């Protein structure tokens, strides 16, 4: 049942190209995105003035990444909320908002409660869900299914990637319907989206390099992940993957925040992982990382092929293929998932069932 892999997590990491391909293929028809099955019309997509993305854990990280993509491609302001906060927060809600809840299981208590609250307030709701027929899928006005298949490992990988892909489709379609991008750009974005699964395969081919690095860092006590924009959102997910299965303390910081407090924690030998996939932000983030290096930190830089200057700046470089920058997080997250996995294995831990955690969190 593990298809020759030692753990479900590794099997599911390898199923990501398929999860993304299946999810994309369910909405991309003849080179166009088609949301007919979830009963959302172009008219609907035109009327929203605000998007709230509400979720927990990794699904919230998907929201964090999607926010940058949606806001850059469309004219709609996006706010990302933790479901456990949203449901108790008395915030003024825009009546012309679309509330997007994201959940693999479709049963997460806080996310379900947030969905019910949004419905009570008469807001339009859309659920991005993996489990067909789950509570969230049944109750939301519209459902966009991720086709990741059953996910067994507690630490999510393929559901996360499928959720990201679903979000990209929403962003591109919103952008086209609202005429924020031309027909040419629309076709370009769709072909970039369709290129993701194959590029994911390529990232997976380099896994031994990550395994080697993980063995070296299995005894680390503290790890920092840094990045700006989409790279920050990917850092959040990388940090959670590492800590939840390896029990190594790790934190993700928006790189610009380091000097507002956190840099005082940097000590000799500490590992700082920088996500550097956004060309415009590369110089800014690498300079924050170099400040850590001069205080003794060991640097891992995760960037795209072509940024070979990184070799002179960091101690360990990891590359992913290029794809339109809005979508590169889908590739950058994989080496970070692998890092968490291999560190956990090197420490002899229960990778698929980390202590104190359940796959589906049905209590608040
Ligand atoms: C982390 C992880 C969790 C879930 C979170 C939400 O690897 O899997 O953080 O993402 O518990 O679960 P769902 O998506 O089922 O609502």
């Amino acid at each position: 049942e593990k298809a020759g892999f030692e753990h479900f997590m590794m099997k599911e990491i390898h199923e990501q190209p398929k999860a993304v391909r299946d999810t994309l293929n369910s909405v991309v028809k003849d080179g166009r995105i088609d949301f007919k099955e979830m009963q959302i019309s172009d008219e609907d997509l035109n009327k929203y003035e605000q998007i709230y993305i509400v979720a927990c854990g990794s699904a919230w990280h998907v929201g964090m990444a999607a926010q940058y993509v949606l806001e850059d491609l469309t004219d709609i302001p996006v706010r990302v909320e933790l479901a456990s906060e949203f449901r108790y927060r008395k915030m003024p809600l825009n009546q012309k908002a679309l509330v997007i809840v994201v959940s693999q299981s479709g049963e997460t208590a806080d996310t379900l409660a947030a969905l019910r609250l949004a419905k009570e307030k008469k807001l339009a709701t859309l659920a991005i869900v993996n489990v067909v027929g789950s509570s969230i899928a049944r109750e939301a006005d519209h459902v966009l299914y991720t086709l990741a298949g059953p996910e067994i490992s507690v630490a999510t990988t393929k559901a996360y990637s499928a959720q990201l892909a679903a979000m990209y489709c929403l962003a591109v379609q919103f952008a086209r319907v609202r005429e924020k991008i031309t027909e040419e750009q629309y076709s370009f974005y769709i072909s970039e989206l369709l290129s993701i699964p194959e590029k994911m395969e390529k990232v997976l081919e380099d896994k031994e390099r990550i395994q080697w690095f993980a063995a070296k860092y299995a005894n680390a006590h503290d790890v920092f992940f840094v990045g700006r924009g989409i790279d920050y959102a990917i850092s959040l997910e990388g940090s959670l993957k590492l800590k939840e299965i390896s029990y190594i303390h790790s934190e993700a910081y928006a790189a610009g925040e380091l000097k507002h407090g956190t840099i005082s924690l940097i000590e000799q030998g500490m590992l700082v992982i920088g996500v550097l996939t956004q060309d415009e932000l590369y110089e800014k983030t690498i300079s924050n990382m170099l400040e850590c290096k001069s205080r003794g930190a060991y640097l891992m830089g995760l960037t795209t092929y072509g940024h070979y200057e990184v070799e002179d700046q960091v101690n360990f470089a990891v590359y992913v293929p290029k794809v339109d920058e809005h979508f590169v997080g889908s590739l950058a997250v994989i080496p970070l998932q692998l890092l968490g996995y291999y560190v956990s294995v090197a420490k002899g831990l229960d990778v698929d069932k980390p202590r104190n955690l359940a796959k589906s969190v049905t209590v608040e």
Side-chain angles (χ1 to χ4, degrees):
E1 49 173 6
K2 290 181 194 147
F5 291 99
E6 212 179 319
H7 302 95
F8 282 109
M9 183 175 175
M10 196 51 144
K11 170 176 176 263
E12 289 162 6
I13 286 174
H14 282 82
E15 284 172 345
Q16 291 184 107
K18 178 171 165 33
V20 170
R21 192 177 291 121
D22 289 350
T23 301
L24 292 173
N25 285 344
S26 73
V27 290
V28 179
K29 306 267 151 73
D30 299 324
R32 305 196 74 80
I33 294 168
D34 181 345
F35 287 138
K36 268 195 208 83
E37 258 173 57
M38 66 167 181
Q39 286 153 357
I40 257 196
S41 64
D42 286 358
E43 214 170 87
D44 288 329
L45 295 181
N46 246 319
K47 72 181 183 212
Y48 305 121
E49 287 177 358
Q50 165 85 46
I51 293 174
Y52 300 110
I53 301 175
V54 188
C56 301
S58 292
W60 179 73
H61 296 158
V62 167
M64 291 294 286
Q67 171 185 39
Y68 294 101
V69 182
L70 278 158
E71 287 193 334
D72 193 45
L73 292 182
T74 76
D75 52 350
I76 318 170
V78 180
R79 199 169 155 149
V80 189
E81 293 277 325
L82 291 162
S84 57
E85 288 293 311
F86 180 80
R87 58 181 296 200
Y88 295 116
R89 175 137 156 200
K90 296 177 182 72
M91 62 192 268
L93 294 165
N94 185 326
Q95 279 307 309
K96 290 194 177 149
L98 173 66
V99 177
I100 305 178
V101 297
V102 188
S103 177
Q104 187 283 126
S105 62
E107 302 296 346
T108 301
D110 281 317
T111 312
L112 180 58
L115 169 66
R116 288 179 177 160
L117 178 78
K119 288 188 73 180
E120 214 176 276
K121 304 260 182 208
K122 308 255 178 301
L123 301 183
T125 57
L126 162 65
I128 298 180
V129 188
N130 196 48
V131 177
V132 178
S134 56
S135 306
I136 290 174
R138 286 198 313 269
E139 295 189 26
D141 299 329
H142 308 281
V143 183
L144 177 47
Y145 280 110
T146 47
L147 301 185
E151 193 177 60
I152 310 295
S153 164
V154 165
T156 183
T157 53
K158 63 176 180 169
Y160 168 93
S161 287
Q163 287 161 354
L164 254 189
M167 281 290 196
Y168 297 155
C169 292
L170 272 176
V172 170
Q173 192 65 3
F174 265 119
R176 182 63 200 123
V177 169
R178 297 163 79 100
E179 292 179 2
K180 290 290 148 191
I181 55 171
T182 63
E183 197 52 34
E184 288 69 37
Q185 288 169 315
Y186 182 68
S187 302
F188 170 75
Y189 285 131
I190 291 175
S191 71
E192 287 294 282
L193 283 178
L194 296 174
S195 79
I196 293 173
E198 213 180 298
K199 291 173 184 169
M200 288 178 128
E201 308 272 11
K202 187 141 177 24
V203 178
L204 288 167
E205 281 169 20
D206 280 343
K207 66 184 174 193
E208 269 83 24
R209 240 176 100 63
I210 304 288
Q211 184 173 20
W212 172 84
F213 184 72
K216 203 166 128 107
Y217 267 87
N219 296 319
H221 287 285
D222 299 278
V223 179
F224 289 109
F225 291 76
V226 297
R228 279 182 169 71
I230 290 173
D231 290 335
Y232 169 51
I234 300 305
S235 300
L236 287 167
E237 178 61 5
S239 173
L240 180 60
K241 284 288 91 91
L242 180 69
K243 77 178 87 176
E244 69 178 332
I245 54 174
S246 77
Y247 314 149
I248 293 177
H249 169 244
S250 73
E251 302 282 344
Y253 283 98
E257 275 293 294
L258 278 171
K259 50 165 70 79
H260 296 284
T262 322
I263 200 159
S264 68
L265 290 166
I266 301 294
E267 286 175 0
Q268 197 64 35
M270 194 176 270
L271 174 60
V272 175
I273 299 178
V275 186
L276 301 153
T277 68
Q278 306 289 305
D279 282 350
E280 204 183 84
L281 304 170
Y282 182 97
E283 286 305 323
K284 300 273 176 211
T285 299
I286 200 82
S287 84
N288 298 128
M289 291 169 68
L290 291 171
E291 284 164 20
C292 296
K293 193 183 193 186
S294 69
R295 288 163 178 82
Y298 186 92
L299 301 183
M300 168 176 149
L302 173 54
T303 187
T304 50
Y305 285 106
H307 271 292
Y308 303 117
E309 69 271 31
V310 78
E311 304 275 346
D312 303 323
Q313 298 165 318
V314 304
N315 306 92
F316 182 70
V318 177
Y319 301 97
V320 296
K322 279 197 186 300
V323 65
D324 179 78
E325 281 190 6
H326 296 96
F327 314 138
V328 68
S330 290
L331 306 177
V333 75
I334 296 177
L336 303 182
Q337 296 168 339
L338 288 167
L339 180 64
Y341 173 83
Y342 283 125
V343 171
S344 180
V345 171
K347 291 178 78 168
L349 300 173
D350 191 349
V351 180
D352 288 333
K353 281 198 178 67
R355 67 187 181 202
N356 310 339
L357 288 171
K359 181 64 182 161
S360 171
V361 184
T362 51
V363 290
E364 60 176 291

